[in-house]
Amino acid sequence: MFTLTKPEGFVVLDDQHNDDALEEGDYELDHEVFQPVLDALEAEDSEALVRALEPVHAADIADIIEQLGHEERVALVRLYGGELDGEILSELDEGLREEIVGAMSPTVLADAVRELETDDVVDLIEDLDEPQTAAVLGALDDDDRAVVEQSLSYPEESAGRLMQRELVFVPEHWDVGQTIDFLRNKDDLPEQFYHVILVDPRMRPTGYVTLGRLMGSARKTKMVDIAEDSFRTIPVMQDEGEVAYAFNQYHLISAPVVDADERLVGVITIDDAMVILDEEHEEDIMRLAGVGESSLSDRVIDTTKRRFPWLAVNLVTAILASMVIAQFDDVIAKFVALAVLMPIVASMGGNAGTQSLTVAVRSLATKDLTSANVWRVIRREAAVGLINGLIFAVVMGGVGYAWFGTPMLGVVIAVAMVVNLVVAGLAGVIIPVVLERLDIDPALASGAFVTTVTDVVGFFAFLGLAAVMLL
């Protein structure tokens, strides 16, 4: 019989907790943790700060740092001193790493990076400038520095940058007993690993065995006889987005990385792959909104620079829509009701287009939308747009007639609603598919095109029909 001790700042789940409780933020930072940190910083009390953060997980310490202002972050680095380890640095938002590393003393930085695995060191260095990169590399011993520099020689966002060199491999002809004895006698095993990789005499991986199967098998069992069916290798030049997709698609825990000659050069583990997958999802969401790689800790000027170009693009699209409206100024002057109802058509088309666009971009990223099913998806979105258009056409036709007492006005907005929602559904799928075929990121560029199409078509259909049917 034993008792679990609840760490400060966390909620231990028991039988009384349910899904609703989780949704209320049980894993969010507790005020009882955050406030003592603020108090210690204000009092410049290093000992109190260490006491407040001692029971807190590295990921939560990183969250605390991200929620502080610049001056408070610098004070925390100064007061926390040697307690600021490499795990905390690896958990920090990329936009803050350079600032935090710059505030650390060379001695503290050296101690921190020595604790990291090579893939984490590479990830850290990628976000730093030249002097800080040199400081981090200088803190490593010769072997680790050579490994990190070799990883940095691979292209950004490739498997070579993502992999770690700390791995466990044995000859493919060994049995379980030989492998266990080898592991017990090896004094430099990785801190965490999931598979023992099997290699042939040319150092080419031929399979792997999970630690569970290894420990549960008889000593005389051949390693090849308990190898996993899920074995796959990752080319060292493979795009990291493709790597993350493979891990998610095939439920991999780890995968060996091979060079052009199929020789083993490293391993990628699920934690790193899932970080990339999460970053890919976040990147798609940010780009759909036209804000790029932004975070709450970014400076005002940096955020402004990222958002300005897409606001400028939206201004151009708005001008194009206004030019369409300008062609029908005589119609609008005679029927003021058109100016009242016009935004409804454009807004409904814009929302419908965004819905289709979001689904299409996500499906392209997960490879669910391919050339094999693209026409079926296009037909489906057109059908959805038609059905929704007909439903809202009836609603808005009735609203237009009841509001302004003109039956033909109700017909005009009803027909325009159907046309724009069908076009919105088509544009939301076709535009990102075409952009991807042109090697243009659909998440980055699709939104502006879809908005332009729905605004222009919506205004033209509504005002054009009004010019024909009401004059």
Side-chain angles (χ1 to χ4, degrees), residues 47-174:
E47 292 183 1
L49 181 62
V50 172
R51 284 196 304 271
L53 293 177
E54 184 177 5
V56 184
H57 190 277
D60 293 312
I61 295 177
D63 285 344
I64 290 174
I65 294 174
E66 291 167 7
Q67 293 181 28
L68 297 173
H70 171 71
E71 294 182 0
E72 294 169 324
R73 287 196 292 266
V74 173
L76 185 144
V77 172
R78 177 171 51 84
L79 294 173
Y80 202 42
E83 302 294 329
L84 190 62
D85 59 25
E87 189 176 356
I88 297 172
L89 291 178
S90 66
E91 295 286 352
L92 278 174
D93 181 86
E94 294 177 0
L96 280 181
R97 288 178 185 171
E98 184 174 337
E99 176 185 330
I100 299 302
V101 170
M104 296 172 68
S105 68
T107 302
V108 172
L109 177 62
D111 291 339
V113 298
R114 288 194 190 104
E115 301 174 7
L116 294 174
E117 294 182 337
T118 53
D119 59 324
D120 292 324
V121 176
V122 171
D123 183 51
L124 175 64
I125 287 178
E126 285 180 330
D127 304 311
L128 304 180
D129 57 22
E130 285 297 328
Q132 292 173 325
T133 297
V136 171
L137 290 175
L140 302 173
D141 59 42
D142 292 341
D143 291 340
D144 287 340
R145 183 166 60 252
V147 168
V148 170
E149 289 176 341
Q150 185 174 5
S151 295
L152 291 171
S153 67
Y154 294 112
E156 289 188 31
E157 302 183 352
S158 67
R161 288 285 186 99
L162 189 61
M163 70 181 181
Q164 66 184 57
R165 298 303 185 92
E166 296 85 2
L167 67 157
V168 179
F169 61 91
V170 299
E172 60 183 350
H173 63 269
W174 275 17

Side-chain angles (χ1 to χ4, degrees), residues 167-169 180-190:
L167 67 157
V168 179
F169 61 91
I180 291 177
D181 292 341
F182 167 76
L183 295 179
R184 286 175 176 169
N185 294 324
K186 191 174 176 61
D187 57 5
D188 59 346
L189 289 174

Side-chain angles (χ1 to χ4, degrees), residues 79-354:
L79 294 173
Y80 202 42
E83 302 294 329
L84 190 62
D85 59 25
E87 189 176 356
I88 297 172
L89 291 178
S90 66
E91 295 286 352
L92 278 174
D93 181 86
E94 294 177 0
L96 280 181
R97 288 178 185 171
E98 184 174 337
E99 176 185 330
I100 299 302
V101 170
M104 296 172 68
S105 68
T107 302
V108 172
L109 177 62
D111 291 339
V113 298
R114 288 194 190 104
E115 301 174 7
L116 294 174
E117 294 182 337
T118 53
D119 59 324
D120 292 324
V121 176
V122 171
D123 183 51
L124 175 64
I125 287 178
E126 285 180 330
D127 304 311
L128 304 180
D129 57 22
E130 285 297 328
Q132 292 173 325
T133 297
V136 171
L137 290 175
L140 302 173
D141 59 42
D142 292 341
D143 291 340
D144 287 340
R145 183 166 60 252
V147 168
V148 170
E149 289 176 341
Q150 185 174 5
S151 295
L152 291 171
S153 67
Y154 294 112
E156 289 188 31
E157 302 183 352
S158 67
R161 288 285 186 99
L162 189 61
M163 70 181 181
Q164 66 184 57
R165 298 303 185 92
E166 296 85 2
L167 67 157
V168 179
F169 61 91
V170 299
E172 60 183 350
H173 63 269
W174 275 17
D175 60 27
V176 168
Q178 289 174 293
T179 303
I180 291 177
D181 292 341
F182 167 76
L183 295 179
R184 286 175 176 169
N185 294 324
K186 191 174 176 61
D187 57 5
D188 59 346
L189 289 174
E191 189 170 311
Q192 288 185 347
F193 65 99
Y194 309 101
H195 289 110
V196 175
I197 302 170
L198 309 180
V199 296
D200 66 12
R202 296 183 60 188
M203 278 297 293
R204 294 179 300 188
T206 58
Y208 54 39
V209 177
T210 64
L211 296 182
R213 292 289 298 276
L214 175 67
M215 301 306 296
S217 301
R219 288 182 61 87
K220 294 300 182 181
T221 304
K222 291 294 184 181
M223 291 290 285
V224 292
D225 294 336
I226 56 173
E228 292 293 303
D229 294 334
S230 62
F231 174 73
R232 289 175 180 272
T233 59
I234 304 292
V236 72
M237 302 300 287
Q238 183 83 61
D239 179 82
E240 63 180 18
E242 297 294 323
V243 174
Y245 173 81
F247 269 76
N248 188 54
Q249 179 75 4
Y250 303 113
H251 311 294
L252 303 178
I253 300 175
S254 69
V257 181
V258 297
D259 62 16
D261 296 321
E262 298 294 323
R263 293 174 302 188
L264 180 65
V265 293
V267 66
I268 295 175
T269 54
I270 188 171
D271 55 332
D272 294 318
M274 291 305 99
V275 167
I276 297 301
L277 191 64
D278 183 59
E279 289 177 354
E280 294 279 322
H281 292 172
E282 180 182 341
E283 184 179 87
D284 286 346
I285 293 172
M286 292 292 194
R287 288 184 170 183
L288 278 172
V291 296
E293 298 177 359
S294 297
S295 71
L296 295 177
S297 59
D298 290 345
R299 295 183 303 168
V300 172
I301 186 64
D302 294 331
T303 303
T304 302
K305 288 179 179 178
R306 290 192 185 100
R307 297 184 184 181
F308 178 83
W310 291 105
L311 289 175
V313 171
N314 286 335
L315 177 61
V316 172
T317 63
I319 291 174
L320 290 175
S322 298
M323 292 173 63
V324 173
I325 296 173
Q327 304 304 311
F328 300 94
D329 52 354
D330 292 340
V331 182
I332 297 173
K334 292 180 181 179
F335 295 93
V336 179
L338 297 177
V340 176
L341 297 174
M342 190 167 56
I344 298 176
V345 178
S347 177
M348 291 294 291
N351 286 332
T354 300

Side-chain angles (χ1 to χ4, degrees), residues 331 335 406-413 415-416 461-471:
V331 182
F335 295 93
T406 305
M408 290 306 296
L409 183 59
V411 174
V412 168
I413 192 170
V415 175
F462 181 55
L463 297 176
L465 288 169
V468 172
M469 301 176 69
L470 297 179
L471 289 182

